[in-house]
């Protein structure tokens, strides 16, 4: 809404709007994958029934949990929350604070300032959340331990396409965890964006896209079983959505709205895959979408090509989702999901 209103007054905020959408979707991906990895680590533990005598800490629990000291009881709450509580809430930048920032900055300034503030606050929250979760994942006796098997849900939300799957065997020759390879891919993309801006040469677009796809394929060929396995899907979301936002800026005048529509279709697909627990190969995977978008920019088929791609993806992703909602509503079924959006670091 802010982008539409600003564009009607001669301002082009679509790149900032797309970046804000990409950032928030990446944050939400972390809010899913980290708890999912925690549940995978806890699932094999033996849980004695409540009516069984001696159902406390005992056999079946790992040694690091048995040896862990009991947490100190929390002091009773008294009075108003302290400054530390409010500081943590501001740093995590949850939905209430985001809406407050949007309302105030949109009323007092303009849409571009609003998007810049959202990007700054979201980046700070992303950095703080990542740091806390990475520390908890790698420290000694962490609750998130390495796994012997891969989690099918984490693999499904990676959304690899046919191209990456075909090239995945190259990962056997790269002794690195998936998150490290995808981190390198994200770094290459970020450096290319910083160096070329909104007017990249065709060679830079092709080279960056090829490097990202090859590193993504190598990551797909490696097992996701280490402590930081939850980082792979969020890194893929950052690569795909950030890359599409950049390609939208590189598409020239008039491509912004089409690129934002494409980002919305892709973001909906990723949320739908988490909440509806669905998987489809019809959307060509993150790699196929990125390659097609890069090709459209190189051949100069924007914005029409982006509008067409967004329309096709909306039909591919939206149709099955609507059909499943109708079927579930008629059957009276529900599939609640324990959302942990904006979990504090």
């Amino acid at each position: 809404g802010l982008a539409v209103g600003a564009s009607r007054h001669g301002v082009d905020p679509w790149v900032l709007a797309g970046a804000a959408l990409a950032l928030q979707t990446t944050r939400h991906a972390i809010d899913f994958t980290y708890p999912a990895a925690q549940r995978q680590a806890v699932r094999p533990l033996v849980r004695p029934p409540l009516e069984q005598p001696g159902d406390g800490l005992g056999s079946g629990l790992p040694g690091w949990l048995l040896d862990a000291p009991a947490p100190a009881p929390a002091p009773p709450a008294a009075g108003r929350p302290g400054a530390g509580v409010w500081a943590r809430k501001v740093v995590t930048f949850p939905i209430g604070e985001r809406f407050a920032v949007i309302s105030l900055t949109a009323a007092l300034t303009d849409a571009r300032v609003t998007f810049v503030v959202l990007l700054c606050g979201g980046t700070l929250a992303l950095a703080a959340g990542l740091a806390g979760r990475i520390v908890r994942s790698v420290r000694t006796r962490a609750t998130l331990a390495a796994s012997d098997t891969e989690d099918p849900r984490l693999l499904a939300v990676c959304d690899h396409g046919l191209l990456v799957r075909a090239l995945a065997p190259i990962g056997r020759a790269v002794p690195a965890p998936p998150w490290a390879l995808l981190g390198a891919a994200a770094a290459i993309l970020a450096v290319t964006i910083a160096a070329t801006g909104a007017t990249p040469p065709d060679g830079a677009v092709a080279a960056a896209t090829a490097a990202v796809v090859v590193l993504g394929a190598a990551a797909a060929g490696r097992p996701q079983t280490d402590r930081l396995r939850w980082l792979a899907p969020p890194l893929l979301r950052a690569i795909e959505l950030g890359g599409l936002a950049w390609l939208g800026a590189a598409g020239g005048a008039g491509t912004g709205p089409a690129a934002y529509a494409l980002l919305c279709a892709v973001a909906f697909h990723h949320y739908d895959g988490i909440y509806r627990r669905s998987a489809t190969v019809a959307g060509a995977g993150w790699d196929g979408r990125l390659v097609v978008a890069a090709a459209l920019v190189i051949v100069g088929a924007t914005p029409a090509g982006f509008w067409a791609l967004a329309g096709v993806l909306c039909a591919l992703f939206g149709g099955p989702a609507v059909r499943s909602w109708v079927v579930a509503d008629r059957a009276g079924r529900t599939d609640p999901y324990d959302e942990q959006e904006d979990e504090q670091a």
Side-chain angles (χ1 to χ4, degrees):
L2 286 171
V4 171
S7 62
R8 295 184 63 182
H9 291 82
V11 179
D12 186 5
W14 291 105
V15 174
L16 292 174
L21 176 62
L23 176 62
Q24 192 57 41
T25 304
T26 301
R27 289 187 60 197
H28 283 162
I30 298 173
D31 290 333
F32 164 75
T33 58
Y34 181 78
Q38 285 183 314
R39 287 192 290 271
Q40 183 195 15
V42 173
R43 193 178 298 121
L45 301 182
V46 176
R47 297 175 180 82
L50 293 178
E51 62 272 11
Q52 175 181 325
D55 59 352
L57 294 179
S59 60
L61 296 180
W64 53 261
L65 184 56
L66 291 173
D67 299 337
R80 298 180 178 179
V85 174
W86 291 112
R88 286 193 296 272
K89 286 182 66 67
V90 170
V91 170
T92 55
F93 206 40
I95 188 170
E97 280 66 17
R98 291 200 301 272
F99 272 102
V101 164
I102 292 173
S103 302
L104 292 174
T105 55
L108 300 177
T109 58
D110 57 31
R112 284 182 297 190
V113 174
T114 299
F115 287 128
V116 169
V117 174
L118 282 176
L119 286 168
C120 292
T123 301
L124 177 62
L126 177 64
L130 270 179
R133 287 166 175 162
I134 289 174
V135 169
R136 289 198 296 270
S137 297
V138 302
R139 68 185 180 185
T140 305
R141 302 184 184 278
T143 56
L144 184 53
S147 175
D148 295 331
T149 59
E150 296 180 296
D151 189 342
R153 294 194 64 187
L154 289 180
L155 292 176
V157 297
C158 283
D159 195 25
H160 296 310
L162 298 178
L163 180 58
V164 159
R165 295 179 185 181
L167 297 175
I170 65 178
R172 300 170 186 169
V174 184
W179 60 267
L181 296 169
L182 293 175
I188 290 174
L189 183 62
V191 169
T192 305
I193 294 174
T196 62
T199 56
D202 293 344
V205 172
T209 304
V212 165
V213 170
V214 170
L215 287 171
R222 302 295 302 170
Q224 292 189 20
T225 55
D226 62 287
R227 291 176 181 266
L228 296 178
R229 58 190 177 277
W230 55 272
L231 273 174
L235 283 170
L236 288 171
R237 299 294 79 79
I239 290 170
E240 180 188 6
L241 297 175
L244 290 177
W246 173 54
L247 293 172
T255 310
Y260 190 81
L262 177 59
L263 283 169
C264 287
V266 174
F268 172 83
H269 169 57
H270 293 312
Y271 281 104
D272 184 51
I274 290 175
Y275 287 99
R276 198 162 58 90
R277 301 175 185 177
S278 63
T280 178
V281 297
W286 67 268
D287 48 314
R289 294 187 291 268
L290 205 56
V291 168
V292 170
L296 291 173
V297 171
I298 291 174
V299 302
T302 57
F306 273 40
W307 281 120
L309 181 58
V312 170
L313 293 181
C314 282
L316 289 175
F317 299 150
V322 172
R323 184 170 61 250
S324 72
W325 298 339
V326 172
V327 171
D329 183 66
R330 290 175 178 174
R333 298 196 306 267
T334 59
D335 186 17
Y337 173 68
D338 182 17
E339 181 184 11
Q340 300 195 27
E341 191 238 346
D342 293 329
E343 181 186 356
Q344 290 190 4

